[in-house]
Amino acid sequence: MPRIVDVDERRSELAAAASRVIARSGIAGASMREVAAEAGWTTGTLVHYFTDKHELLRFTFEESLARRHALRERREAMTPAEALRDTLLSALPTDEDSRLHWLVTVAFCAQATADPELAALQRDAYREYRSSVARLVVASGRAAAGDARSEAERLIAVVDGVAMQALFDPASWPPGRQRSVVDDALAPLG
Amino acid sequence: MPRIVDVDERRSELAAAASRVIARSGIAGASMREVAAEAGWTTGTLVHYFTDKHELLRFTFEESLARRHALRERREAMTPAEALRDTLLSALPTDEDSRLHWLVTVAFCAQATADPELAALQRDAYREYRSSVARLVVASGRAAAGDARSEAERLIAVVDGVAMQALFDPASWPPGRQRSVVDDALAPLG
Amino acid sequence: MPRIVDVDERRSELAAAASRVIARSGIAGASMREVAAEAGWTTGTLVHYFTDKHELLRFTFEESLARRHALRERREAMTPAEALRDTLLSALPTDEDSRLHWLVTVAFCAQATADPELAALQRDAYREYRSSVARLVVASGRAAAGDARSEAERLIAVVDGVAMQALFDPASWPPGRQRSVVDDALAPLG
Amino acid sequence: MPRIVDVDERRSELAAAASRVIARSGIAGASMREVAAEAGWTTGTLVHYFTDKHELLRFTFEESLARRHALRERREAMTPAEALRDTLLSALPTDEDSRLHWLVTVAFCAQATADPELAALQRDAYREYRSSVARLVVASGRAAAGDARSEAERLIAVVDGVAMQALFDPASWPPGRQRSVVDDALAPLG
DNA sequence: TATGAATGAGCATTCATTCAT
DNA sequence: AATGAATGAATGCTCATTCAT
């Protein structure tokens, strides 16, 4: 009788271990052995849940991207303007968890260079993110439908740009400073 | 007397080959063999000019960072406002060359996660870049000295954020669109 | 459950292969590939049992040193004088097996020059050997306790000196001649 | 006009550098680069004086073996008994120079395992050494001609055995102790 | 399901050697 | 004579992967 295992849960657990290793040692340091050890298993186990390393990485990336949408539910109770602000601020690397996910994102961006499949995942996630922000831009009355995409792009650019700087110079970018720059970008136009 | 070789020039030539490989295949794909082949030499030659792979990568990164300053001279003939705009626009991945350098930058950002020396290089280059932009912000009268840093950070954030999006979704980001978002960020305040 | 393997036995088996290669081709010829091939495995397997080459060599050396004590049990039934003679004679390179172990010993002596850890192993093994011979010297009544160490050193020196000559000039040193010189050294004093 | 160079002198100078490197780092550490650097030249120069590494090593070994005979002249003024004692004592590793040559000898003994040419050199040098000692044994009246070879072998064995022990346990073997064991072996028989 | 033994390709690196200057 | 640029084979080692148990 085989032990009962929740396969999806185990995959997520292993992907989380992979994320931690990637954030700590980069993708180059994320060997099967290392990831397995981080998760408390052996390499053989990894193979049970992911046919090969490539699939492990792809799944880990997808989980990391999915995180952006994870907080959506709580926004349903907010006004569109609040939801927009919350969406942008929660993307900043202002705590350990979001920092970890940013490091993973950067690692996968670098990896995407050589892997069209990852590049497509990344591109589609971005497009969906942009649509989502654009909807909130319209709903909150910041811009007319025709200008929503530009405004969304501008806002996302500010968030991503701040995040990249904050990631590699945390001393210059305490959480308050990160939020302040984003809040400025959200300030009423004119 | 042995064959005469300009060592610095040869190092730059090899680093350029490394950049091309990294842009094409990521850092993981930048094996000594691959870089040597791209440059038209053998691995032994690489070792002649860089004591090990780490030094090759560090040098390649430094050359990539140095590129940001390479265009400075031409800006001496511009007004501060023109120089500011030129600095920001020339950082966008709007042609093959700047795209290549952005891909290298992303690769090294990912690598910096696990390498404090690269992280320090990256951080210092960013700080210097910010100072330089802040000086132009003041000189062009966009902001008072007290607000120059914030304004510089905001402008750089927009440029970097646009670049990250454009890098992985070139179809959505033709050069004109990239410039237009940056120009909007440069539009007279209020 | 994976294949069942007796790890210690496998390590000994691999060390024995290493000894054969060292005796045949010297330490320089004892590459991981060569040792693995001699043992009938691949390099990857070697790494399974020894974290690196250094550990393989150290273990091989220890096994070679341990051999000196391996014959001790049979000596328990002998008189001290017989045990002393047996100890010394069995150290001579008079058959293929002891010859192989001498060649390994010489190889490690040379290696010890550049490796303090091996040098310490070698020195300690020698000291223990000396103590053991000195005890038999006293027990057999060859010398008083105060002179036992000198007598042990002299006897060991003769054995080692004969061995070194016999090793590189076997034609001049058939087994009988080796034993005869050692027996002369054991002849009743005066 | 080529510079005038005393080729033999230069070869000896390079072999001496090789000896120092071998004594310090073993034969494995005696790369062409390292030997050249120790001598204050470049690898290219080495090749001028030795067609390849093998020849460098062979020549270095020959020079090391030749050293045993170097002190012969001074013995011409001694009585046979004095010359015998001087021959044996001067072979002990009692100072830096003789220690260095012993380390080189051990390194080459190990190397000889895999190199018949070195093994032959070693064997012939030993035979000549033995003849030379046997002659002194007879001349000094220690033994009759028929027993001279055995006595020479015994004496050499003591010296070599002491040397091997002293080489790897200098703390237990100060020069006086080494000489004392050899002097005991030289003590009048019976 | 989970293990870990075994594989073999690929890596960075070292090195003896060749040779244009 | 002397240099050092360039080569490419070999090395120790890492690692994803396979598979018997």
Side-chain angles (χ1 to χ4, degrees):
Chain A
M1 274 245 302
R3 201 171 308 176
I4 302 300
V5 168
D6 183 325
V7 173
D8 286 340
E9 193 180 328
R10 177 65 54 85
R11 281 166 65 95
S12 290
E13 177 192 330
L14 293 170
S19 286
R20 291 194 298 275
V21 174
I22 290 168
R24 184 204 313 140
S25 317
I27 287 218
S31 67
M32 298 290 271
R33 257 175 188 69
E34 199 67 29
V35 172
E38 171 76 24
W41 299 96
T42 62
T43 43
T45 310
L46 237 61
V47 170
H48 262 290
Y49 295 95
F50 302 99
T51 57
D52 59 13
K53 187 183 183 178
H54 194 258
E55 204 204 318
L56 166 64
L57 290 182
R58 190 172 48 67
F59 184 80
T60 301
F61 191 27
E62 283 172 351
E63 292 259 300
S64 185
L65 290 173
R67 189 183 161 278
R68 277 198 161 140
H69 309 305
L71 305 171
R72 259 189 203 162
E73 293 81 36
R74 80 173 185 203
R75 290 180 193 127
E76 291 173 0
M78 301 180 185
T79 67
E82 283 169 344
L84 176 60
R85 183 168 179 262
D86 186 68
T87 297
L88 298 177
L89 292 186
S90 68
L92 293 169
T94 48
D95 58 31
E96 263 318 295
D97 190 52
S98 52
R99 214 183 126 74
L100 183 147
H101 282 282
W102 260 104
L103 289 170
V104 171
T105 297
V106 170
F108 276 108
C109 283
Q111 194 78 352
T113 290
D115 185 336
E117 193 186 354
L118 291 184
L121 277 173
Q122 164 78 354
R123 186 199 59 207
D124 294 345
Y126 240 126
R127 287 182 180 177
E128 195 192 328
Y129 180 44
R130 187 174 64 192
S131 300
S132 161
V133 171
R135 273 194 302 275
L136 291 171
V137 162
V138 172
S140 63
R142 283 189 67 81
D147 298 331
R149 177 177 159 175
S150 282
E151 177 65 3
E153 281 167 349
R154 190 184 68 91
L155 292 170
I156 291 176
V158 170
V159 169
D160 286 4
V162 165
M164 287 297 287
Q165 292 179 59
L167 225 43
F168 296 100
D169 192 0
S172 299
W173 288 92
R177 179 158 202 91
Q178 295 181 47
R179 292 196 200 95
S180 140
V181 173
V182 173
D183 271 331
D184 283 354
L186 280 169
L189 313 164
Chain B
M1 284 264 288
R3 207 167 304 170
I4 299 298
V5 169
D6 183 325
V7 172
D8 287 340
E9 193 179 327
R10 177 63 53 85
R11 282 167 67 96
S12 291
E13 178 191 332
L14 294 170
S19 286
R20 291 193 298 276
V21 175
I22 289 168
R24 184 205 312 141
S25 316
I27 286 215
S31 67
M32 297 291 272
R33 269 170 182 73
E34 200 66 30
V35 172
E38 171 76 25
W41 302 97
T42 63
T43 49
T45 308
L46 234 59
V47 169
H48 232 308
Y49 294 97
F50 302 98
T51 55
D52 58 15
K53 187 183 184 179
H54 196 259
E55 203 203 319
L56 166 65
L57 291 182
R58 191 173 47 68
F59 184 80
T60 302
F61 191 27
E62 283 172 352
E63 291 258 300
S64 186
L65 290 173
R67 188 184 161 277
R68 278 197 161 141
H69 309 305
L71 305 171
R72 261 191 200 161
E73 292 82 36
R74 80 175 186 201
R75 290 179 194 129
E76 290 175 2
M78 301 179 183
T79 67
E82 284 169 345
L84 176 61
R85 181 166 180 265
D86 185 69
T87 297
L88 298 176
L89 292 185
S90 69
L92 293 169
T94 48
D95 58 31
E96 263 319 293
D97 189 51
S98 52
R99 218 184 121 71
L100 183 147
H101 283 281
W102 260 103
L103 290 170
V104 171
T105 297
V106 170
F108 276 108
C109 284
Q111 193 78 353
T113 290
D115 184 336
E117 191 187 355
L118 292 185
L121 276 174
Q122 165 78 356
R123 188 200 57 208
D124 293 344
Y126 239 125
R127 287 182 181 176
E128 195 192 329
Y129 181 43
R130 188 174 64 193
S131 301
S132 159
V133 170
R135 274 193 301 275
L136 291 172
V137 162
V138 173
S140 63
R142 283 189 66 82
D147 299 332
R149 179 177 157 174
S150 284
E151 177 66 3
E153 281 167 350
R154 189 184 69 90
L155 292 171
I156 291 175
V158 170
V159 169
D160 286 4
V162 165
M164 288 297 287
Q165 293 179 61
L167 224 42
F168 297 99
D169 192 2
S172 298
W173 289 92
R177 178 158 203 91
Q178 296 182 45
R179 289 195 202 96
S180 137
V181 173
V182 173
D183 271 330
D184 283 354
L186 278 170
L189 312 164
Chain C
M1 285 268 285
R3 206 166 307 169
I4 300 295
V5 169
D6 183 325
V7 172
D8 286 339
E9 193 179 328
R10 178 63 52 84
R11 282 167 65 96
S12 291
E13 178 190 331
L14 293 169
S19 286
R20 291 194 298 277
V21 174
I22 290 168
R24 184 203 314 139
S25 317
I27 286 219
S31 67
M32 298 291 273
R33 271 166 183 75
E34 199 66 30
V35 172
E38 171 74 23
W41 301 97
T42 63
T43 49
T45 308
L46 232 60
V47 169
H48 232 309
Y49 294 96
F50 301 97
T51 56
D52 58 14
K53 187 183 182 179
H54 196 258
E55 203 204 318
L56 167 64
L57 291 182
R58 190 172 47 67
F59 184 82
T60 302
F61 192 28
E62 283 172 351
E63 292 258 301
S64 186
L65 290 173
R67 189 182 162 278
R68 277 199 162 138
H69 309 304
L71 305 172
R72 258 188 202 163
E73 293 83 35
R74 80 172 185 205
R75 289 178 193 130
E76 291 175 1
M78 303 179 184
T79 67
E82 283 170 344
L84 176 62
R85 181 166 180 263
D86 186 68
T87 297
L88 297 176
L89 292 185
S90 68
L92 293 169
T94 48
D95 58 32
E96 261 320 293
D97 191 49
S98 52
R99 214 182 125 72
L100 183 148
H101 282 281
W102 259 103
L103 289 170
V104 170
T105 296
V106 170
F108 276 108
C109 283
Q111 194 77 351
T113 290
D115 184 336
E117 193 187 353
L118 292 185
L121 277 173
Q122 165 78 356
R123 186 200 58 207
D124 294 344
Y126 240 125
R127 287 182 180 176
E128 196 192 327
Y129 181 43
R130 188 174 64 194
S131 300
S132 161
V133 171
R135 272 192 303 275
L136 291 172
V137 161
V138 172
S140 63
R142 284 189 67 81
D147 298 332
R149 178 177 156 174
S150 283
E151 176 67 1
E153 280 166 351
R154 189 183 69 90
L155 292 171
I156 292 176
V158 170
V159 169
D160 286 3
V162 165
M164 288 296 288
Q165 293 178 60
L167 224 42
F168 297 99
D169 191 2
S172 298
W173 288 92
R177 178 162 202 89
Q178 295 181 46
R179 290 197 201 96
S180 138
V181 173
V182 174
D183 270 330
D184 283 353
L186 278 170
L189 312 165
Chain D
M1 271 244 303
R3 202 172 307 173
I4 301 300
V5 168
D6 182 326
V7 173
D8 286 340
E9 191 180 328
R10 178 65 55 83
R11 281 166 66 98
S12 289
E13 177 192 330
L14 293 170
S19 285
R20 291 194 299 275
V21 174
I22 289 168
R24 185 203 312 141
S25 315
I27 286 216
S31 65
M32 297 292 271
R33 256 175 189 69
E34 199 67 29
V35 172
E38 171 75 24
W41 300 95
T42 62
T43 43
T45 309
L46 238 62
V47 169
H48 261 291
Y49 295 96
F50 302 99
T51 58
D52 59 14
K53 188 183 182 177
H54 195 258
E55 204 204 319
L56 166 64
L57 291 181
R58 191 172 47 67
F59 184 80
T60 301
F61 191 27
E62 284 172 351
E63 292 259 299
S64 185
L65 290 173
R67 188 184 162 277
R68 278 201 159 136
H69 310 305
L71 305 172
R72 263 194 198 158
E73 294 83 36
R74 81 174 185 202
R75 291 181 193 127
E76 291 175 359
M78 302 180 184
T79 68
E82 283 169 344
L84 175 62
R85 182 167 179 263
D86 185 69
T87 296
L88 297 177
L89 292 185
S90 68
L92 292 170
T94 47
D95 58 32
E96 263 320 294
D97 190 52
S98 52
R99 217 183 123 72
L100 184 147
H101 282 282
W102 259 103
L103 289 171
V104 171
T105 296
V106 170
F108 277 108
C109 282
Q111 193 78 351
T113 290
D115 185 336
E117 193 186 353
L118 292 184
L121 277 173
Q122 165 79 355
R123 186 200 57 209
D124 294 344
Y126 241 125
R127 289 183 180 175
E128 195 192 329
Y129 180 43
R130 187 175 64 194
S131 300
S132 159
V133 170
R135 274 193 302 274
L136 291 171
V137 162
V138 172
S140 63
R142 281 190 66 82
D147 299 330
R149 178 177 157 174
S150 282
E151 176 65 3
E153 280 167 352
R154 189 182 70 90
L155 292 171
I156 292 176
V158 170
V159 169
D160 286 3
V162 165
M164 287 297 286
Q165 292 179 61
L167 224 43
F168 296 101
D169 193 0
S172 298
W173 288 93
R177 178 158 202 91
Q178 294 181 48
R179 290 194 202 98
S180 138
V181 173
V182 174
D183 271 330
D184 283 352
L186 279 170
L189 312 165

